[in-house]
Amino acid sequence: MFQNLIAGSWTDGPLAYQNINPSDTRDVIGEYAQANASQTQDAVSAANEAFATWSLSTPQQRFDILDAIGSELLARRNELGNMLAREEGKVMPEAIGEVSRAGNIFKFFAGEALRLAGEVLPSVRPGVGVEVTREPVGVIGVITPWNFPIAIPAWKIAPALAYGNCVVFKPAELVPGCAWLLADIIHRSGLPAGVFNLVMGRGSEVGQVLLDDARVAAVSFTGSVSTGKRVAAACVARGAKFQLEMGGKNPFVVLDDANLDIAVGAAVNSGFFSTGQRCTASSRVIVTDAIHDRFVGAMVAKMATLKIDDARMAGADIGPVVDERQLAQNLAYVAIGRNEGATLAFGGEALSINANGAPGFYMRPALFTETAPTMRINTEEIFGPVVSIQRVRNYEEALLVANDTPFGLASGIATTSLKYASHFKRHAQAGMVMVNLPTAGVDYHVPFGGRKGSSYGPREQGHYAAEFYTTVKTAYTQA
Ligand code: NAD
């Protein structure tokens, strides 16, 4: 049994969760303890007590610990990547890449602990000086989704610790394996007991405590829009700080003048890699008339070459869907698209076994053409390998269609025109814009986040993370 980490001790839970490999459902990865509400409160108590001393730790202490965590993640990237691929279904190169990213994030924030700057300003009053400094916030509740089981926890936990906060980490139910390995590395890094706690369990029980407990000063949440709204309502009600990263329906525009290979490569990557289970995936591809038919032909040809297989099989391009419920949702959206009158140009069917005959949650990536902006497949987040193409007359119409969504996480364009690339970067209503690149796949040292219905609160990653994980103090001194 893999246990929770509460107040520096590995602790059993009243229940256990069986972690299943979606590439081969006969493979049970392990039993993971599920905390209950009172254990979660114990974790909050421990974090709250530890804050008194950890908030006063030196930047050197924090640097050393975060740097050591980053080094171990990088050294064990293959092993942890194997766990990630096994429990979430991301193919090995992507899984190892995600662990590397997590390691680099810890190293980046190790440096940030040393770089935390303030300001000294002259007062408007004679003889008075003003200092603006940043202080830690307190206990941070970290609530994460299943689709980036190590990178997203890393980009919340690392800045929280770097700026002197304590953490209670509640990972998604489906991916306790990566969470436990990360917690084990953090636990052995030399952090005082209680500074970091792991509570695996249900969102409605464990997660809800983090939303409701007055000792949790701030909640950093990534997940669905519906859960995000609950997080927001609970935090507003008790005046807690919160940040939300939620869904997307990201557009990728392909203009007549695009390099076809670049456009197809970026669209296939953004739409289908990681089995389409990335919040930055582009599920709406908006293509101008003159290139439309050539683009669709090249997409279908490229999709036919993708190898769908066990995530840990060498050469696999696309692994399984994360679980049965998500697979059923994806297939339901394929049926919805057909009923709405879209043309299913490729794929969309379930494949119940992989190349070795092992049972898993596989599906062939789906491509819809001749779709209308109002169709549900163009307005609702599917979170699977389902892409729809919309045909437009020109750039101006493409931009309107791209922005016609309540979401605003990422947005992309394939073009060789400096004029259109520049205009799109300026006018795309999204937190992140990509030119001749997939909408998914971002650096670890620059801000990540969206606008409109995709995000709320300060950006994550990079030195912008200080906005959420610190609180500003303005001090006046009469000389
Ligand atoms: P989810 O909302 O179902 O769960 C997210 C987390 O919230 C889980 O840990 C869950 O246990 C917890 N939770 C559920 N109910 C809760 C409650 N009442 N109180 C507190 N916590 C609760 O999301 P998911 O299915 O794990 O992830 C997929 C979603 O995440 C997609 O919508 C995707 O777009 C989004 N996502 C967004 C980003 C981003 O940065 N914008 C990144 C990755 C994933």
Side-chain angles (χ1 to χ4, degrees), residues 143-148 152 155 170-173 201-204 207-208 211 221-225 227 230-231 245-248 279 325 381 383 409 448 454-455 460:
I143 302 177
T144 55
W146 49 263
N147 65 328
F148 282 93
I152 292 178
W155 84 45
K170 185 248 165 299
E173 290 91 320
R202 290 208 314 275
S204 55
Q208 196 65 43
L211 306 189
F221 169 84
T222 300
S224 61
V225 172
T227 312
R230 295 178 73 107
V231 174
E245 289 296 343
M246 302 173 288
C279 48
R325 190 197 56 79
E381 185 185 49
F383 219 55
L409 188 57
F448 177 98
S454 288
S455 303
E460 305 205 68

Side-chain angles (χ1 to χ4, degrees), residues 2 10 32 67-85 92 95-104 107 150 177-189:
F2 294 91
W10 292 107
Y32 290 80
D67 189 57
I69 296 168
S71 294
E72 185 166 345
L73 283 167
L74 291 172
R76 293 172 61 194
R77 68 179 88 189
N78 291 342
E79 177 199 344
L80 271 74
N82 187 64
M83 170 60 90
L84 204 165
M92 278 301 278
I96 293 169
E98 186 181 331
V99 178
S100 303
R101 180 174 172 187
N104 285 322
K107 285 192 169 274
I150 201 145
C178 286
W180 190 91
L181 285 169
L182 178 62
D184 177 52
I185 292 172
I186 295 174
H187 178 52
R188 287 184 290 93
S189 67

